[in-house]
Amino acid sequence: MRVVMFGYQTWGHRTLQALLESGHEVLLVVTHPKSDHAYEKIWDDSVADLAAEHGVPTLLRNRPDDEELMGRLKAAAPDLIVANNWRTWIPPQIFNLPARGTLNIHDSLLPAYAGFSPIVWALINGEKQVGVTAHMMNDELDAGDIVVQRAVPVGPADTATDLFHRTVDLLGPIVTEALDLLASGRTDFTPQDRTRASFFHKRSIEDSRIDWAWPAEDTERLVRAQSDPYPNAFTHYKGQRVRVLKASVSKGVYGGTPGRVFIREGDGVVIVAGADAHRGRNHGLVIERVRTDDDIDLPATEFFQTMGGYLTDRP
């Protein structure tokens, strides 16, 4: 098949690598210019550089809405477009252009977690597995028929970084399998159950702010979901922002006001957590390691030298 690719960052890089190794002809690559956005500097292997290494023509675009791009696509006459981590809407005149349509690769188990940052949101929400879906693109974002889908389990100590590496390693096999199915002429793919669909927005700094009214179990997952190199979950102590690098749910049950720096337990310091913590039925969050705003990592037992006082969501 004659293939055009739309993609960006490591997800697009791995997808392009699979296309280049597939035996199909890669005619053109469309990718975004480099960005200074915090999340777009993470996992930023260059699609443009990989295309250049293999002599594949490349266009840099923020949005696919100009006449030059449309002209290049029509001239290329692809049998298939493959997209992965393209950050803006691809219009119907593009995704319907190839005879075999457009295959989109999304790092969630669709129809759940359509949209943005699916692994981070899934980990925060306590999902037992995450994965990758190859589906045909249609008028609704991440809603087309499923061609290939694979899952990996989420362990009790897994971070978003762990899950990124496991899911990105699925991209090559998934792209290869999907291309084989499409090249064979298959079109009878699995419609998504839209009653199970969910759609999530992009992450921002506000989404990393710890709310001590959350149960400790939820906050512990937030800390794992915001593992390096992602922007870490953070709180404030005595007016200073403190990033939480490692935490666990306390063994003991602690009552009081959410955010209270309470007592040492194990290798960390217990923070009272949960909206109903005053009832004395909640486990606390044991903070074990922190990072200060001047990028110094410390054991929590060293940072919190005395008990008492409160962690807050604002200075």
Side-chain angles (χ1 to χ4, degrees):
M1 293 185 294
R2 294 163 55 83
V3 181
V4 167
M5 199 204 84
F6 283 70
Y8 188 50
Q9 296 177 282
T10 299
W11 297 270
H13 187 279
R14 290 288 189 98
T15 300
L16 178 57
Q17 187 67 57
L19 290 172
L20 292 167
E21 293 172 357
S22 69
H24 299 284
E25 184 182 1
V26 183
L27 309 167
L28 176 69
V29 166
V30 187
T31 189
H32 297 301
K34 286 188 176 181
S35 168
D36 288 330
H37 188 283
Y39 274 93
E40 293 189 2
K41 293 170 73 174
I42 303 170
W43 318 126
D44 62 349
D45 293 301
S46 173
V47 170
D49 288 352
L50 180 60
E53 289 170 16
H54 291 267
V56 180
T58 302
L59 293 176
L60 298 179
R61 292 291 189 277
N62 286 312
R63 295 181 177 276
D65 55 5
D66 61 275
E67 292 183 6
E68 181 194 1
L69 172 59
M70 198 66 202
R72 292 283 295 273
L73 290 172
K74 288 179 178 178
D79 299 306
L80 178 72
I81 290 174
V82 177
N84 192 351
N85 199 41
W86 180 261
R87 311 299 281 177
T88 57
W89 183 61
I90 296 177
Q93 60 265 34
I94 290 180
F95 68 70
N96 286 327
L97 178 67
R100 289 185 168 89
T102 294
L103 179 77
N104 186 56
I105 317 295
H106 181 72
D107 53 339
S108 85
L109 297 174
L110 292 174
Y113 296 94
F116 301 91
S117 305
I119 288 174
V120 174
W121 286 114
L123 181 51
I124 289 170
N125 290 331
E127 302 293 350
K128 301 302 181 185
Q129 58 181 8
V130 294
V132 177
T133 303
H135 69 96
M136 301 310 299
M137 191 174 285
N138 64 13
D139 289 334
E140 189 175 351
L141 186 63
D142 296 333
D145 291 356
I146 294 171
V147 180
V148 180
Q149 186 174 80
R150 294 189 184 181
V152 293
V154 178
D158 280 339
T159 66
T161 307
D162 297 327
L163 298 176
F164 161 78
H165 287 296
R166 274 185 231 146
T167 53
V168 82
D169 284 345
L170 296 175
L171 293 180
I174 282 177
V175 170
T176 300
E177 183 177 347
L179 288 174
D180 288 346
L181 290 169
L182 288 161
S184 74
R186 279 278 302 275
T187 58
D188 57 331
F189 302 122
T190 305
Q192 293 189 38
D193 178 359
R194 303 308 296 159
T195 66
R196 295 177 49 244
S198 56
F199 185 87
F200 285 79
H201 63 73
K202 291 181 180 180
R203 301 285 297 176
S204 74
I205 192 65
E206 283 297 313
D207 302 310
S208 300
R209 191 185 302 275
I210 294 174
D211 181 347
W212 293 106
W214 283 21
E217 293 82 359
D218 292 356
T219 304
E220 186 271 339
R221 291 196 302 271
L222 174 66
V223 170
R224 287 191 282 123
Q226 298 293 161
S227 56
D228 289 340
Y230 295 98
N232 306 119
F234 69 94
T235 186
H236 289 86
Y237 181 61
K238 297 181 178 179
Q240 176 185 357
R241 188 176 72 149
V242 180
R243 286 171 278 179
V244 180
L245 304 183
K246 185 178 181 184
S248 58
V249 178
S250 70
K251 294 178 181 177
V253 173
Y254 299 95
T257 302
R260 175 78 173 190
V261 181
F262 192 11
I263 193 172
R264 292 189 178 191
E265 182 185 284
D267 293 330
V269 174
V270 175
I271 312 301
V272 177
D276 60 348
H278 63 284
R279 300 182 185 277
R281 300 171 185 168
N282 293 3
H283 292 274
L285 185 77
V286 181
I287 296 181
E288 297 170 10
R289 194 160 189 84
V290 301
R291 178 175 294 151
T292 63
D293 253 356
D294 49 2
D295 285 329
I296 297 174
D297 293 4
L298 294 168
T301 51
E302 184 176 331
F303 181 78
F304 297 106
Q305 296 187 356
T306 60
M307 299 299 100
Y310 293 86
L311 300 182
T312 57
D313 62 349
R314 307 281 171 179

